[in-house]
Amino acid sequence: MVQVIARNIVVDYPIYGAMSRSLKNTFIRTATGGLLARDASERIVVRALNDISFELAEGDRIGIVGHNGSGKSTLLRVIVGAYEPVNGSIMVVGKVSSMLSISLGMDLEATGYENIFLRGAIMGLKPREIESLVDEVIDFSELGDYINMPVRTYSSGMAMRLAFAISTRMSGDIILMDEWLSVGDAAFSEKAQHRLQAVLDQAKILVIASHNEELLRKNCNKLMRLEHGTIIDFKAV
Amino acid sequence: MSSTTRLQAALSDLKEGVCSIYIWPVLGWQEVKQRYRRSTLGPFWLTLSTGALIGGMGPLFGRLLNQDISSYFLYLASSFIVWLFLSGLITESCQAFISAEGYIKQTKLPLTVHVLRVIWRNLIMFAHNLLIVVIVMMFYAPSSTSFLWLFPIGVALIAINGLWCGMLLGLLCARFRDIPQIVTSLMQLALFLTPIFWKAEMLGRHQWAADWNPLFYFLEIARLPLLGTVPSAHTWFVVGLITILGYLLMLVFFVRFRARIAYWV
């Protein structure tokens, strides 16, 4: 069964090279960001996530809301498995498909065609698997002959179309997204939203972080509110 | 996290990393292409510039050191390209994790992938430089070609050691950003302290200076087959010992600090 179980997760970002003497108090509240603190070895740390526990099961559509620096992205990266919590544990059952950075690993000097293979490899696809979706990606992105040109010759919108077209070809049990993806001009954007919706619909668990609460309410069945790295509210909408 | 799960996590990172044969060769090759993109000769610029260096230094050092050019030229060429491989592996693996920050912080790719990428890139560059040795061999044939089959084994041993060394250096450099600078300066010094331009036996009674230099053994194991001789049993032994000890040392650090790397880069 696809599920995510987090128990008392704590994530501290160590800050190296910060002036430690300017922080006399152990915990300083700031308007945004996590709590600044000192760990056992007197290092300055940012407590990005503080004692986070939750359980996600199949069918869950979670929207994470919160200020800048409230820990939304950090939580997503913990679920991806990039950050291992300092304390607590996280168990993820199911294939995670990350849409956190859809253009990660793309090379501006390489052609669009080469970039499809580059992105595909990073997403964990075998060359044969990438081969089978190349035509569809080219077709969807509407890049035409530009696909054989270096990506640096693309407009930023074109580059995003390509990244979007490749990344949305991945299917996963658990899909993570940092801010709702929207790309291209009006006509393309509509097409992209359809495709995105289709990908999201087949996911068993979906986690989206966003500032846009309205959008989350429309697309999610549960809302998690983060503040200073703590869950202050987690309920169905 | 208990120490057994830590060990398991570290070992599975290494295993999964090595098995990701559709990722690190692609990333490594990509970086070589990136470096020489839009130049006509591409990576062969490397061959050309190394070739020019060896072509110029060969006669100069041959004269300075009173060496017979017919044997010295091949000695210098093979020593120098193996050295470039060694020092490239060491200095570039300092950046292995630092330069992969984006991947490390946003994906679950095994960390080992980033070190293998560096090794693969250096192997590609080494292959380009090897062309120089082939050309030199056409003019100054080695005393024997019957041990050439040992050459790939020597190169493989260097690459295998590149993994523990790269994991260890990559990790330390991610945490302490002064280490890359230190390593670079030390490698510049090592270029002159290691028998590359000169020969170990020229040291006379100071031969210990080469005997205690670990880089000397890795140099020997790959270059001697090119020069027509077999590396001594002692050389194989030292390289084997360093391989085992190196992996143990790397594991100690990697098991302990693997999960911290994402926070350091």
Side-chain angles (χ1 to χ4, degrees), chain B residues 17 186 264:
Chain B
L186 284 180
W264 288 345

Side-chain angles (χ1 to χ4, degrees), chain B residues 80-100:
Chain B
F80 197 62
I81 64 148
V82 175
W83 172 259
L84 285 179
F85 182 44
L86 281 172
S87 76
L89 277 176
I90 293 174
T91 49
E92 288 178 26
S93 56
C94 287
Q95 302 294 327
F97 296 140
I98 298 175
S99 66

Side-chain angles (χ1 to χ4, degrees), chain A residues 76-117:
Chain A
L76 290 176
R77 289 172 181 190
V78 169
I79 300 175
V80 165
Y83 285 115
E84 281 176 33
V86 181
N87 257 312
S89 65
I90 178 142
M91 191 180 76
V92 177
V93 185
K95 184 167 163 257
V96 178
S97 164
S98 154
M99 292 195 196
L100 299 188
S101 48
I102 58 167
S103 45
L104 177 73
M106 283 181 66
D107 178 2
L108 293 183
E109 288 290 337
T111 65
Y113 189 80
E114 287 174 297
N115 269 298
I116 296 177
F117 282 83

Side-chain angles (χ1 to χ4, degrees), chain A residues 180-198:
Chain A
W180 195 268
L181 290 179
S182 93
V183 285
D185 44 36
F188 188 83
S189 181
E190 192 175 330
K191 183 170 105 168
Q193 288 313 313
H194 275 123
R195 181 181 173 113
L196 184 59
Q197 201 68 56

Side-chain angles (χ1 to χ4, degrees), chain B residues 84-155:
Chain B
L84 285 179
F85 182 44
L86 281 172
S87 76
L89 277 176
I90 293 174
T91 49
E92 288 178 26
S93 56
C94 287
Q95 302 294 327
F97 296 140
I98 298 175
S99 66
E101 181 184 348
Y103 297 105
I104 294 176
K105 287 187 173 174
Q106 303 183 60
T107 64
K108 203 191 162 50
L109 281 182
L111 291 166
T112 313
V113 161
H114 307 301
V115 175
L116 289 167
R117 181 197 64 182
V118 172
I119 296 173
W120 189 248
R121 182 177 68 211
N122 277 283
L123 267 171
I124 293 170
M125 301 204 295
F126 179 64
H128 282 90
N129 277 334
L130 204 55
L131 200 61
I132 299 165
V133 173
V134 175
I135 293 169
V136 172
M137 274 182 181
M138 284 190 232
F139 293 96
Y140 304 104
S143 53
S144 153
T145 50
S146 44
F147 303 113
L148 272 181
W149 61 275
L150 280 170
F151 171 70
I153 299 176
V155 174

Side-chain angles (χ1 to χ4, degrees), chain B residues 2-229:
Chain B
S2 75
S3 48
T4 11
T5 40
R6 268 195 188 144
L7 178 65
Q8 275 168 353
L11 290 178
S12 79
D13 187 295
L14 283 163
K15 183 172 158 259
E16 277 176 45
V18 173
C19 293
S20 304
I21 49 162
Y22 295 115
I23 303 179
W24 50 263
V26 176
L27 293 179
W29 180 233
Q30 184 62 28
E31 275 172 321
V32 176
K33 279 204 285 188
Q34 216 167 19
R35 208 175 286 189
Y36 298 99
R37 183 85 60 178
R38 283 205 274 169
S39 74
T40 324
L41 289 182
F44 287 101
W45 267 115
L46 201 73
T47 319
L48 208 65
S49 64
T50 316
L53 205 69
I54 291 171
M57 300 241 263
L60 173 68
F61 276 83
R63 180 64 56 87
L64 284 177
L65 300 170
N66 261 328
Q67 294 289 306
D68 174 23
I69 196 76
S70 61
S71 70
Y72 180 75
F73 218 83
L74 184 61
Y75 172 83
L76 178 74
S78 23
S79 303
F80 197 62
I81 64 148
V82 175
W83 172 259
L84 285 179
F85 182 44
L86 281 172
S87 76
L89 277 176
I90 293 174
T91 49
E92 288 178 26
S93 56
C94 287
Q95 302 294 327
F97 296 140
I98 298 175
S99 66
E101 181 184 348
Y103 297 105
I104 294 176
K105 287 187 173 174
Q106 303 183 60
T107 64
K108 203 191 162 50
L109 281 182
L111 291 166
T112 313
V113 161
H114 307 301
V115 175
L116 289 167
R117 181 197 64 182
V118 172
I119 296 173
W120 189 248
R121 182 177 68 211
N122 277 283
L123 267 171
I124 293 170
M125 301 204 295
F126 179 64
H128 282 90
N129 277 334
L130 204 55
L131 200 61
I132 299 165
V133 173
V134 175
I135 293 169
V136 172
M137 274 182 181
M138 284 190 232
F139 293 96
Y140 304 104
S143 53
S144 153
T145 50
S146 44
F147 303 113
L148 272 181
W149 61 275
L150 280 170
F151 171 70
I153 299 176
V155 174
L157 276 167
I158 294 178
I160 288 168
N161 277 274
L163 182 59
W164 74 256
C165 182
M167 297 290 290
L168 188 63
L169 275 177
L171 182 151
L172 291 173
C173 293
R175 173 65 186 83
F176 300 103
R177 299 299 169 98
D178 297 286
I179 297 182
Q181 313 298 333
I182 298 172
V183 171
T184 312
S185 337
L186 284 180
M187 290 310 288
Q188 271 165 4
L189 184 64
L191 168 66
F192 297 102
L193 293 185
T194 311
I196 299 161
F197 302 119
W198 42 278
K199 294 182 178 173
E201 58 264 26
M202 291 178 188
L203 285 169
R205 62 192 180 85
H206 295 293
Q207 190 137 4
W208 55 266
D211 292 341
W212 287 97
N213 182 350
L215 292 169
F216 173 56
Y217 295 93
F218 286 99
L219 204 58
E220 289 280 86
I221 213 152
R223 75 178 168 189
L224 287 183
L226 292 177
L227 301 173
T229 40

